[in-house]
Amino acid sequence: MRHSAFFLKPEEKEKNAAMVEWTEQERSIITNIFGNLDYEDVGSKALSRCLIVYPWTQRYFASFGNLYNAEAIKTNPNIAAHGTKVLHGLDRAVKNMDNIKATYAELSVLHSEKLHVDPDNFKLLADCLTIVIAAKLGSAFSPEIQAVPLKSAACATGEELWPLFMCVTSFQMKK
């Protein structure tokens, strides 16, 4: 049984965050999931869903044009392009699973210091991405498959069972 890292001492949390270890099976499943995604479709749908379901997240996209309603968001080319960019960014994590923190060092500074993105928004986007991927994969997205990209040790906050996306983006809030 795994225990939540919330009960760990701060130095243990930091130690766990730095010691992400993926099994070959986990690597294979994660690579296969991302290798079979249509980044343009999935990225656009995940970001659109996040902006529609959690409208307060729209504040970071004021320069993207019309976000007045769900249809405007779903058809906004700037949202679609940024969603695709997010998926390509996650692809970098998939290709650098042993060094996620260094892979995202520059992006971390951008999102935390320049854009001041609330870290909770990454969790919301991760949930939306999980929903979109589940819809695309259907019955192939079993609980066992869903659990693979979940590694509590990878998450800087130490919460149990966040998706790979959250593990990647949570490092953006740490230096």
Side-chain angles (χ1 to χ4, degrees):
M1 181 169 143
R2 293 164 58 182
H3 299 282
S4 176
F6 279 119
F7 300 107
L8 296 176
K9 295 177 184 176
E11 60 273 11
E12 287 298 314
K13 283 185 183 182
E14 188 62 34
K15 179 181 173 187
N16 284 349
M19 295 177 45
V20 180
E21 292 185 25
W22 304 94
T23 67
E24 287 307 312
Q25 181 184 14
E26 290 169 336
R27 288 173 190 275
S28 175
I29 290 172
I30 292 167
T31 301
N32 286 335
I33 288 172
F34 278 86
N36 291 309
L37 292 180
D38 175 348
Y39 286 15
E40 287 77 21
D41 183 49
V42 172
S44 175
K45 286 180 178 173
L47 183 56
S48 293
R49 178 178 288 270
C50 186
L51 296 174
I52 293 165
V53 175
Y54 308 107
W56 59 89
T57 62
Q58 294 176 19
R59 71 177 173 227
Y60 300 105
F61 300 94
S63 66
F64 279 36
N66 183 0
L67 304 176
Y68 299 125
N69 58 47
E71 189 60 30
I73 291 169
K74 289 191 274 187
T75 59
N76 185 310
N78 293 320
I79 296 299
H82 194 70
T84 300
K85 187 176 186 176
V86 167
L87 263 285
H88 282 288
L90 286 174
D91 189 56
R92 288 177 52 206
V94 171
K95 292 175 180 168
N96 295 286
M97 281 195 249
D98 293 324
N99 201 6
I100 291 173
K101 191 171 183 175
T103 300
Y104 286 99
E106 190 175 317
L107 197 57
S108 172
V109 172
L110 172 67
H111 283 85
S112 64
E113 295 178 18
K114 183 177 179 191
L115 300 175
H116 305 287
V117 177
D118 182 340
D120 287 340
N121 291 336
F122 293 112
K123 192 159 120 178
L124 300 175
L125 183 55
D127 289 343
C128 291
L129 179 61
T130 301
I131 291 166
V132 172
I133 291 173
K136 290 289 177 190
L137 297 180
S139 62
F141 196 69
S142 66
E144 295 79 16
I145 296 296
Q146 182 180 358
V148 168
L150 307 172
K151 299 283 267 194
S152 64
C155 299
T157 61
E159 280 197 35
E160 198 76 29
L161 301 181
W162 279 5
L164 173 65
F165 179 82
M166 192 55 223
C167 295
V168 170
T169 56
S170 67
F171 282 122
Q172 293 179 356
M173 301 302 125
K174 298 282 183 186
K175 283 191 172 179

